[in-house]
Amino acid sequence: MDSPKIGGIACVDWSTGSLVGPNARESVKTLGQMRGLFQNQNEFERMDLNTIIYRVQWLAPVPDGTEGGLFWGTTVIEPGRVGDEYFMTHGHFHAKRDRAEYYGCLEGKGMLIMMDTARRTWAECMEPGSLHYIPGNVAHRVANAGETQLKLTACWPSDAGHDYAAIRQEGFGARLLARNGESVLVPTR
Ligand code: F6R
Ligand code: ZN
């Protein structure tokens, strides 16, 4: 797509969520950056740590931490597994715990895994068109349970921030694993 010719802060390809324009920022997460997050450490070490697990593009029209603003982003998660566990995002609570978020699935198939502060964990199916409201005080992660890329779009408050440490230390209360060709949410303990 060429640079935006219409008004607004960027151009969105609504079929893929792809953002185009000078304001769009991008980050890439490789397998190596996700050490310790997948269950099967042996399988993890056998894989190419440069494998791209997901990419995020986002728009931050106000500085990070601004009260009252909104951010917008698109995440593309590659298909694949570490052992039985599907490729997934790191997952986080918002640093300001009570900040909520919308996720919408554009393409692919997977699960939005959510966990409250008491570690109760549940999941919602993501498929093209599904819209998900993530309440405040709920950690969130997406796993790609399909054979193709999973593309989702998100909108969250600009003062939400991200607390990754809590997930790095304790993980979620359940993992999305492949069992006999099905994806199953399996409690961790
Ligand atoms: C923002 C948000 C998403 C994620 C993205 C990557 O609050 O939830 O934009 O940041 O899907 O996941 P993480 O941040 O867990 O690596
Ligand atoms: Zn979030």
Side-chain angles (χ1 to χ4, degrees), residues 92-107:
H92 56 269
F93 282 100
H94 289 150
K96 282 201 176 156
R97 284 287 194 278
D98 66 353
R99 298 310 196 248
E101 182 162 2
Y102 278 113
Y103 275 9
C105 183
L106 301 165
E107 203 180 301

Side-chain angles (χ1 to χ4, degrees), residues 1 6 14 20 27-28 33 35 38 41 46 63 69 71 91 97 101-103 105 109 127 136 142 145 150 152 154 165:
M1 202 191 287
I6 56 171
W14 288 104
V20 180
S27 71
V28 174
Q33 293 171 300
R35 184 180 295 280
F38 291 95
Q41 301 283 346
R46 274 198 286 273
F71 289 167
R97 284 287 194 278
E101 182 162 2
Y102 278 113
Y103 275 9
C105 183
K109 178 182 132 186
E127 57 194 326
V142 175
L150 171 59
L152 65 114

Side-chain angles (χ1 to χ4, degrees), residues 1 26 38 42 46 50 52-53 65 68 81 101 105 108 112-113 119 128 135 140 157 168-170 173 177-178 185 188:
M1 202 191 287
E26 285 192 40
F38 291 95
N42 292 337
R46 274 198 286 273
N50 294 316
I52 291 174
I53 306 299
R81 296 200 312 239
E101 182 162 2
C105 183
L112 166 58
I113 303 165
R119 296 189 55 75
H140 38 289
R168 193 160 277 285
Q169 283 151 23
E170 304 282 340
L177 304 178
L185 194 66
T188 49

Side-chain angles (χ1 to χ4, degrees), residues 29 54 56 75 89-92 94 101 103 140 152 154 156 162 164:
K29 190 76 91 177
Y54 60 100
V56 185
T75 303
T89 58
H90 186 294
H92 56 269
H94 289 150
E101 182 162 2
Y103 275 9
H140 38 289
L152 65 114
W156 66 101
H162 296 97
Y164 292 105

